[in-house]
């Protein structure tokens, strides 16, 4: 036995506290935790991996590529959750295990062809939906979801798994709850047309319990797990970079 057990590190403590909160909110329903590691160094990811966390979310293809390469021996699962530019689609399709931010039909043939060329087998995708209709944010309009889902389902190297969304971070939790409920309705509608759909990715550090209460099957948590971004993270012994 090592002198310091894994459970004494700050990363382990935060992970087990978070898992406890997820379990309490989920009431025996399975809810996946995606650890959002954007801006965190590979060492911080490795520390959580050592505590059993397997799935990590990244926002930028270039930043993720370096970490994925560094940590390849650990066999982790990597999800892209940030906006995907068309000129990065081919690289992303080869690199990630799941792309949660597919929000327009133009990406589909690019991802499909690149995934085929990678020889990695079908790529899991989620369709990102813009629930609050904010012009500045990515995500497809709810009305466009059926057509986008049809197009995705026709791509042999893509596997449509569900929906992802980032509702507006309004202070009023009742409004957020309503957005999550609308997303759950859209998810159920999608599942009627596409029975293989099983993933509803919604909820972040501030509101994941609310999202779980409204039917999230996956929550994406960054700061509640790693500490505030860009704060140097001295608590876990890591230098700021
Ligand atoms: C950064 C980010 C998260 C995590 O946010 P926290 O508030 O740090 O938990 C989740 N989803 C997406 C799409 C993000 O960009």
């Amino acid at each position: 036995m090592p002198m310091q057990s894994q459970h004494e590190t700050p990363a382990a403590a935060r992970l087990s506290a978070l898992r406890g909160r997820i379990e309490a909110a989920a009431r025996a329903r399975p809810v996946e935790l995606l650890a959002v590691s954007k801006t965190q160094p590979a060492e911080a990811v490795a520390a959580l991996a050592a505590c059993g966390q397997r799935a990590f979310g990244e926002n930028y293809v270039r930043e993720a590529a370096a970490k994925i390469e560094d940590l390849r021996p650990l066999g982790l699962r990597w999800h892209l959750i940030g906006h995907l530019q068309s000129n990065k689609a081919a690289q992303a399709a080869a690199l990630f295990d799941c792309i949660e931010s597919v929000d327009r039909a133009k990406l589909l043939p690019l991802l499909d062809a690149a995934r085929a060329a990678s020889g990695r087998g079908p790529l899991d995708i989620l369709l990102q939906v813009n629930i609050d209709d904010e012009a500045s944010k990515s995500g497809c309009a709810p009305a466009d979801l059926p057509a986008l889902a049809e197009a995705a389902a026709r791509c042999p190297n893509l596997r449509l798994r569900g929906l992802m969304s980032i509702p507006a971070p309004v202070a009023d939790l009742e409004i957020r709850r309503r957005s999550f409920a609308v997303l759950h309705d859209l998810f159920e509608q999608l599942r009627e047309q596409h029975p293989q759909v099983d993933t509803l990715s919604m909820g972040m550090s501030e509101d994941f319990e609310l999202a779980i209460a409204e039917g999230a099957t996956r929550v994406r948590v960054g700061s509640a797990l790693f500490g505030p971004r860009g704060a140097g993270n001295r608590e876990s012994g890591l230098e700021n970079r």
Side-chain angles (χ1 to χ4, degrees):
M1 282 280 284
M3 286 292 287
Q4 188 189 32
S5 106
Q6 281 181 3
H7 300 282
E8 290 172 299
T9 68
R14 278 196 291 247
L15 180 61
S16 76
L18 180 60
R19 281 186 180 150
R21 287 174 63 190
I22 290 172
E23 256 175 54
R27 301 161 193 246
R29 194 167 59 80
V31 173
E32 258 177 281
L33 168 61
L34 184 69
V36 176
S37 49
K38 63 179 171 214
T39 77
Q40 303 294 339
E43 291 85 341
V45 174
L48 276 189
C51 307
Q53 177 63 30
R54 307 312 295 168
F56 292 86
E58 289 281 337
N59 287 57
Y60 306 101
V61 175
R62 198 213 302 224
E63 179 189 339
K67 276 183 237 182
I68 292 173
E69 189 51 45
D70 277 0
L71 299 170
R72 194 169 296 289
L74 300 183
L76 304 174
R77 273 185 64 78
W78 294 93
H79 295 219
L80 181 67
I81 59 175
H83 178 72
L84 179 57
Q85 293 170 285
S86 301
N87 64 4
K88 294 269 171 47
Q91 190 188 358
L95 204 52
F96 287 92
D97 300 288
C98 178
I99 296 187
E100 301 202 4
S101 48
V102 176
D103 65 352
R104 57 201 190 280
K106 187 185 169 192
L107 289 173
L108 295 170
L110 303 173
L111 294 171
D112 192 48
R115 188 66 174 195
S118 77
R120 292 191 59 193
L123 170 66
D124 285 341
I125 63 165
L126 302 184
L127 305 181
Q128 183 178 354
V129 53
N130 186 343
I131 196 68
D132 297 307
D133 197 26
E134 288 173 90
S136 63
K137 258 196 327 203
S138 41
C140 86
D144 298 336
L145 266 182
L148 186 57
E150 278 306 315
R154 283 195 297 269
C155 296
N157 303 289
L158 303 180
R159 198 158 49 192
L160 175 62
R161 297 295 297 269
L163 296 181
M164 185 273 261
S165 189
I166 315 168
V170 291
D172 185 337
L173 291 183
E174 190 47 42
I175 294 176
R176 281 202 223 187
R177 177 190 287 278
R178 245 174 280 153
S179 294
F180 289 139
V182 169
L183 284 163
H184 188 254
D185 284 346
L186 290 171
F187 171 69
E188 292 296 348
Q189 286 165 33
L190 182 68
R191 196 145 64 159
E192 280 170 24
Q193 299 304 314
H194 304 275
Q196 80 281 12
V197 156
D198 60 1
T199 304
L200 178 56
S201 173
M202 61 182 190
M204 323 203 310
S205 291
E206 277 205 336
D207 55 16
F208 67 87
E209 282 148 323
L210 210 51
I212 291 171
E214 296 300 330
T217 71
R218 176 183 297 153
V219 294
R220 308 178 308 269
V221 179
S223 41
L225 197 47
F226 289 99
R229 277 184 288 279
N233 217 349
R234 234 179 299 152
E235 205 186 344
S236 56
L238 296 162
E239 308 260 278
N240 200 0
R241 321 184 155 187

